[in-house]
Amino acid sequence: MKFQERVFSGMQPTGSLHLGNYLGAMLKWIDLQKTHECIYCVVDLHAITVWQDPAELRQAIRQVTAAYIAAGLDPEKSILFNQSQVSAHAELAWVFNCVARLGWLNRMTQFKEKAGKDRENASVGLYAYPNLMAADILAYRATHVPVGDDQKQHLELSRDIAQKFNNDFCAQIEAAGYDGGDFFPLPEPVITGPATRVMSLRDGTRKMSKSEPSEMSRINLTDDNDTIAKKVKKAKTDPEPLPADTKGLSGRPEAENLVGIFAALSGSQKADVLAEFGGRQFSEFKPALADLCVARLGPIADEARRLMDDPAEIDRILVDGADRARAIAAPILADVKDIVGFVHARP
Ligand code: TYM
């Protein structure tokens, strides 16, 4: 069956967003608004899979929403909302808890990393996290999911869940009037561009992440201009000049990372950046990168701060987005209930 193209993606409201979130995901989100119906979520249900201070969580939901809008997501055009306001996510996630197999979840590397050695003490929610993610996407029958490289395995699981649901309930799906047993699309990851995996500024072999203790390892979307410039100038590098082509970046993770960041922020490719800076020292490249970061990120931080002065308006946007999201998810969830065999009143 041919599905209507629809984009879904989300970010966790745990601390402030950083350059990795912006380059790995949000730049594509902004672009896709031009061509697609887009649904962008602040995934607060995912956030509580590890402990969150309630007052900080509430603030972080608003802050991430402000960053979305400040970065260029248009709440009129796209649907922006927080996940917990649309119960279809949790309801469909339960059905998927019963579709997904333990063996599938046992392979998830992100659970292993996040749970660490004390696995017995991890929440059940952290373990079932990828099922909720599949529900986020499939509650809207979304076909395209723009994310960074670290979400690839979770999206493969979403496809497996969609496929197994389609197979397990094939007869009921046909009886409900869907051709060929395809109730859910197999959502496609959109992992493109020169910065699908932005690395720490302190260690080019580690991913830039909110959980890294050193603030110098990442550029936050809330950082002021001086802080941004300082972090770029202090970023770890090696002593060699930049190479003339991308082959010369292999084995030089810090150089590769900074060149990738420059390319993504300037809307070009790594090869273009090297055509300009190849043969030059980091002492010349870093100030240019710092200027670019400040020019691109500074206005986002300023606008997000301005939006945060009016939290009631942010809440209004989230309620409006949730209403629109619910309207899309409700008939899909009603079909799921029919297919699975629940007794219910259709909305
Ligand atoms: P989260 O909140 O960890 O990250 C949000 C987005 O940012 C991307 N990202 C990065 N990209 C490049 N380099 C980095 N260093 C980097 N760090 C983060 C992530 O790939 C992601 O696209 N499970 C998801 C949220 C989620 C979701 C969904 C995404 C929940 N439901 C449904 C898509 C569809 C997460 O924790 O992302």
Side-chain angles (χ1 to χ4, degrees):
M1 182 172 137
K2 182 92 182 84
F3 289 90
Q4 181 195 331
E5 291 202 347
R6 184 176 281 150
V7 171
F8 182 95
S9 199
M11 300 208 184
Q12 295 196 58
T14 45
S16 81
L17 299 184
H18 55 70
L19 187 64
N21 302 129
Y22 181 64
L23 299 181
M26 224 193 283
L27 278 183
K28 278 171 286 183
W29 297 14
I30 295 164
D31 243 19
L32 283 162
Q33 289 187 123
K34 294 181 201 136
T35 49
H36 285 74
E37 177 188 10
C38 297
I39 306 175
Y40 296 128
C41 188
V42 180
V43 293
D44 48 10
L45 296 176
H46 279 97
I48 63 163
T49 55
V50 297
W51 169 252
Q52 301 297 327
D53 174 83
E56 285 174 21
L57 177 62
R58 197 172 294 117
Q59 190 69 353
I61 293 168
R62 295 187 179 124
Q63 238 153 19
V64 168
T65 309
Y68 278 8
I69 299 168
L73 299 181
D74 178 351
E76 301 284 320
K77 196 164 193 304
S78 300
I79 295 180
L80 309 187
F81 74 109
N82 59 312
Q83 190 183 24
S84 61
Q85 293 207 64
V86 180
S87 61
H89 293 251
E91 291 183 65
L92 187 58
W94 182 260
V95 175
F96 288 169
N97 283 344
C98 304
V99 171
R101 305 290 93 181
L102 277 183
W104 300 359
L105 290 174
N106 284 340
R107 286 196 286 274
M108 293 296 114
T109 53
Q110 211 158 75
F111 173 76
K112 290 180 197 162
E113 279 163 29
K114 285 202 179 171
K117 289 201 181 70
D118 196 7
R119 210 184 279 194
E120 293 288 305
N121 205 25
S123 74
V124 176
L126 189 66
Y127 186 73
Y129 181 113
N131 296 345
L132 176 59
M133 205 168 139
D136 298 339
I137 300 163
L138 296 170
Y140 304 95
R141 283 221 190 83
T143 53
H144 292 80
V145 187
V147 284
D149 173 79
D150 59 344
Q151 297 300 315
K152 207 171 177 170
Q153 195 186 33
H154 286 159
L155 289 183
E156 277 160 17
L157 188 91
S158 296
R159 293 166 66 89
D160 290 343
I161 290 175
Q163 184 71 67
K164 187 168 189 309
F165 183 94
N166 288 346
N167 292 346
D168 288 355
F169 296 103
C170 179
Q172 292 75 15
I173 290 169
E174 292 223 358
Y178 292 89
D179 274 352
D182 283 344
F183 182 73
F184 286 123
L186 306 189
E188 289 201 23
V190 182
I191 304 175
T192 52
T196 55
R197 191 174 179 82
V198 178
M199 308 309 275
S200 157
L201 299 180
R202 306 304 304 158
D203 177 353
T205 63
R206 292 167 66 89
K207 194 179 72 171
M208 183 178 285
S209 127
K210 292 169 196 169
S211 49
E212 182 77 33
S214 167
E215 275 292 320
M216 294 302 283
S217 70
R218 67 184 156 265
I219 295 177
N220 296 311
L221 292 191
T222 46
D223 284 345
D224 60 33
N225 292 351
D226 288 348
T227 309
I228 296 172
K230 188 170 94 194
K231 287 179 177 176
V232 173
K233 287 181 184 154
K234 291 232 153 100
K236 188 177 167 206
T237 50
D238 57 37
E240 303 298 319
L242 283 166
D245 57 33
T246 53
K247 278 204 285 303
L249 290 172
S250 81
R252 299 181 63 187
E254 282 87 14
E256 173 150 32
N257 190 37
L258 297 185
V259 169
I261 292 171
F262 196 108
L265 282 174
S266 59
S268 60
Q269 297 300 322
K270 286 178 191 167
D272 304 319
V273 178
L274 293 176
E276 187 181 348
F277 289 97
R280 297 217 237 155
Q281 299 290 341
F282 281 103
S283 54
E284 285 179 71
F285 179 64
K286 277 183 170 181
L289 179 60
D291 286 350
L292 180 61
C293 287
V294 166
R296 292 295 305 269
L297 305 178
I300 298 177
D302 290 346
E303 177 62 5
R305 268 191 288 276
R306 195 189 66 73
L307 291 165
M308 281 300 284
D309 285 343
D310 189 357
E313 173 60 8
I314 294 183
D315 294 3
R316 190 200 62 74
I317 289 169
L318 291 173
V319 168
D320 172 67
D323 286 345
R324 288 153 64 202
R326 218 177 281 118
I328 299 174
I332 297 173
L333 197 71
D335 281 351
V336 169
K337 289 181 180 174
D338 282 344
I339 288 166
V340 171
F342 295 157
V343 174
H344 67 111
R346 282 194 74 92

